[in-house]
Amino acid sequence: MSAIETGLHSPRYAALPPIFYRVVAPQALNEPHWAAISPDCARLLGLDPAHDFDDDTLAVLAGSRPPARLPPLATAYSGHQFGVWAGQLGDGRALLLGERDGQDGQRHEIQLKGAGSTPFSRMGDGRAVLRSSIREFLCSEAMAGLGIPTSRALTLVASSTLVRRESLETAAVVCRVAPSFVRFGMFEHFCHGNRPDALRQLADHVIAAHFPECQQAEQPYAAWFEQVIAASARLVADWQAVGFCHGVLNTDNMSILGLTLDYGPFGFLDGFDPEHICNHSDHQGRYAFRRQPHIVYWNLQRLAAALWPLIREERLLQALETFQPTLEAALASRMQAKLGLQHWQDDDWTLLTDLLDLMAAQGADHTLTWRRLCAVTAHGDDPEHCRDLFLDRASFDTWRQRYAVRLQQDGQPDAQRSAAMRQINPCYVLRNHLAELAIQAAQAGNYQEINRLRACLSDPFTERPEYADYAGLPPDWAHTLSVSCSS
Ligand code: AMP
Ligand code: MG
């Protein structure tokens, strides 16, 4: 038996009744081979990155054969896509293989994405192209490096199987890992399908497996829904702080655990632009960067609407009211840390928004501005030339003097503050053009760039000279890149 199968349990989800999923055999790819392995994710699962990824494990993680004794499952769900009820969706190209005990004390579901069609594939071919699989693999591990809740990626298997998108491309399989892949859309599925019994079973499963403390509450379902709201609010605060734009925040892509899930046409901001739309297919800008908190709230409202058979309406509405204060508190704590302040005062919102307005007006690079700000001193010195990122340097200088006054008042020694800020403001993020360079190399048969980028992004806060090419401003051609839902 392969290393991945040893210690693989039947997923807890499989104990739910058959309407929750379909049993589906994976479909083999032609000439499957390793394109990348995440050693961090391997270790999380108690696997040895150097020895456990042999041909037997490849066969399972490529979808060439199912794990011994465990029939893979495609789960059923529905959802709202771009604000419109889309009806039944379901895992059209994902298969749940099983669960493993992680070194973190949690049980993790092991899922293949792109291992062939399922009864939920609708018009799709059940495949994922190498291009989008590289992006998902890299961003999953980059988010984990940033400390932002996310599904993980264990492996990326490439192949010679051709699939048609705008052009012919090769297919790949990513092995995704998360304590649960349950989505808001699963609850919507059973509510709209008029199956309150299944809705209750799903809620009971999620609470027992992931929110056991809620079982003691006087109203367990309400207590659990409040936890989902809090986790979602904290997640979107993390995205706003780091400049991450998800791109397709449909309810079927919203994790019940508050994880970043379903990486498609996502993007990290280069120049700070609150109106940025990373998904080329999002013509209305529904999922623009600045709208993400509102959209997450809208999605929580859809979840609330699906939970009415379980939770009284007043209690659902009360719970939804906790979103805004939780979001604001989470944003304040992240922005406080980004600014290197020990204490947060109400006028700090003005200091912050003035900086953000300036960055937006001047096209200042999001990641680099925050990173170089780490070096600004309480005397107003700017040794890393943060000002050079602004078209009108004088406007930044004026803001910097106000910031320096605030730093003096806050009273933390420069060196201590800088070190703390460098643990919050990353030096490296997965910019589109960096992913694109790794994709182009991989499409030409060279997978080393994926691995080098992954290794760098696994520790995005420590500046290392060997990764200088990842730390600079994006090249001009980066502005012409576009990513869409085609994946
Ligand atoms: P996504 O936009 O990737 O979150 O997918 C939305 C829905 O479309 C989900 O139900 C997916 O399983 C399904 N889907 C996307 N691409 C494919 C594909 N190539 N084959 C089958 N189903 C797909
Ligand atoms: Mg999805």
Side-chain angles (χ1 to χ4, degrees):
M1 212 171 2
S2 69
I4 186 74
E5 288 161 283
T6 319
L8 197 66
H9 310 282
S10 177
R12 286 163 291 181
Y13 209 78
L16 290 164
I19 53 158
F20 283 80
Y21 49 77
R22 308 282 182 277
V23 171
V24 184
Q27 287 147 25
L29 292 166
N30 299 327
E31 303 178 276
H33 51 278
W34 297 122
I37 295 163
S38 163
D40 294 343
C41 186
R43 282 187 286 268
L44 170 69
L45 295 175
L47 293 163
D48 175 350
H51 298 108
D52 285 343
F53 293 84
D54 56 9
D55 287 350
D56 280 345
T57 293
L58 175 66
V60 174
L61 297 185
S64 302
R65 67 172 176 85
R69 301 184 318 275
L70 297 177
L73 309 179
T75 65
Y77 55 84
S78 296
H80 281 83
Q81 297 188 318
F82 291 89
V84 179
W85 175 244
Q88 178 175 296
L89 301 165
D91 287 328
R93 51 175 173 172
L95 293 177
L96 177 57
L97 297 187
E99 286 181 351
R100 277 184 75 96
D101 291 314
Q103 302 296 96
D104 59 351
Q106 296 209 68
R107 262 200 172 191
H108 295 271
E109 294 187 348
I110 311 291
Q111 194 197 62
L112 298 186
K113 180 167 176 180
S117 58
T118 78
F120 304 114
S121 296
R122 297 172 293 149
M123 308 298 279
D125 56 10
R127 295 300 187 191
V129 296
L130 178 62
R131 162 178 56 83
S132 67
S133 304
I134 291 171
R135 286 170 51 86
E136 173 141 28
F137 176 85
L138 284 173
C139 203
S140 305
E141 293 307 282
M143 287 300 241
L146 289 165
I148 298 178
T150 179
S151 62
R152 301 289 303 257
L154 177 63
T155 54
L156 169 63
V157 174
S159 79
S160 62
T161 299
L162 291 175
V163 291
R164 180 163 291 283
R165 297 293 180 266
E166 282 83 11
S167 59
L168 280 180
E169 298 186 51
T170 59
V173 170
V174 174
C175 175
R176 303 199 290 190
V177 174
S180 170
F181 286 94
V182 169
R183 298 136 193 282
F184 289 11
M186 283 179 174
F187 294 91
E188 294 181 281
H189 184 68
F190 295 116
C191 179
H192 285 257
N194 200 18
R195 291 296 302 260
D197 54 325
L199 184 75
R200 187 173 294 272
Q201 281 172 313
L202 181 59
D204 290 344
H205 158 80
V206 167
I207 292 172
H210 308 289
F211 299 87
E213 66 289 353
C214 294
Q215 287 169 322
Q216 268 70 57
E218 143 257 344
Q219 291 186 41
Y221 296 126
W224 158 68
F225 181 50
E226 282 160 14
Q227 297 285 315
V228 176
I229 292 173
S232 306
R234 289 192 297 263
L235 177 67
V236 73
D238 280 334
W239 292 345
Q240 300 311 103
V242 81
F244 175 78
C245 201
H246 181 286
V248 207
L249 282 176
N250 295 333
T251 56
D252 53 303
N253 292 338
M254 291 288 298
S255 153
I256 204 71
L257 301 186
L259 307 174
T260 315
L261 188 63
D262 280 13
Y263 292 93
F266 66 83
F268 283 87
L269 299 180
D270 287 323
F272 180 66
D273 174 12
E275 306 298 332
H276 180 69
I277 303 162
C278 60
N279 178 357
H280 195 69
S281 321
D282 180 7
H283 306 293
Q284 313 288 320
R286 178 177 173 84
Y287 299 136
F289 176 72
R290 132 188 112 69
R291 290 179 51 87
Q292 294 189 117
H294 169 74
I295 290 292
V296 167
Y297 182 67
W298 191 91
N299 290 338
L300 285 162
Q301 287 177 312
R302 302 287 77 70
L303 178 61
L307 294 178
W308 69 264
L310 301 182
I311 305 171
R312 281 186 300 115
E313 190 180 344
E314 309 89 274
R315 192 67 198 258
L316 282 170
L317 294 174
Q318 254 173 33
L320 283 171
E321 277 172 22
T322 62
F323 178 80
Q324 194 59 29
T326 309
L327 172 73
E328 274 170 30
L331 272 177
S333 84
R334 281 156 188 73
M335 299 326 280
Q336 173 187 346
K338 284 179 86 68
L339 285 166
L341 297 173
Q342 288 177 296
H343 309 283
W344 185 257
Q345 302 173 355
D346 266 350
D347 347 340
D348 292 333
W349 283 116
T350 315
L351 186 71
L352 171 68
T353 41
D354 288 350
L355 174 64
L356 295 174
D357 288 348
L358 213 55
M359 285 164 67
Q362 305 282 322
D365 185 83
H366 185 259
T367 304
L368 287 183
T369 300
W370 285 106
R371 186 70 182 187
R372 292 190 192 177
L373 201 65
C374 304
V376 169
T377 69
H379 286 103
D381 301 333
D382 179 17
E384 292 184 0
H385 310 286
C386 192
R387 69 193 298 271
D388 290 353
L389 298 167
F390 294 77
L391 288 171
D392 172 14
R393 292 171 171 75
S395 63
F396 175 72
D397 294 339
T398 309
W399 183 87
R400 181 159 51 104
Q401 294 317 318
R402 284 166 59 203
Y403 179 52
V405 170
R406 180 68 185 91
L407 291 180
Q408 282 164 28
Q409 184 199 22
D410 198 56
Q412 197 176 177
D414 284 334
Q416 194 183 316
R417 184 187 59 255
S418 293
M421 286 172 76
R422 289 195 177 96
Q423 292 305 307
I424 296 292
N425 295 303
C427 181
Y428 314 99
V429 294
L430 182 60
R431 296 175 188 266
N432 264 342
H433 78 277
L434 297 178
E436 184 61 25
L437 290 171
I439 290 167
Q440 284 172 12
Q443 286 172 337
N446 176 359
Y447 302 123
Q448 278 167 17
E449 185 55 19
I450 303 174
N451 198 44
R452 180 167 171 262
L453 191 48
R454 183 208 51 72
C456 172
L457 295 171
S458 69
D459 178 10
F461 300 111
T462 311
E463 192 166 353
R464 285 148 293 170
E466 66 269 33
Y467 297 127
D469 53 327
Y470 296 152
L473 284 167
D476 286 343
W477 60 265
H479 308 304
T480 63
L481 282 174
S482 86
V483 284
S484 70
C485 280
S486 151
S487 60

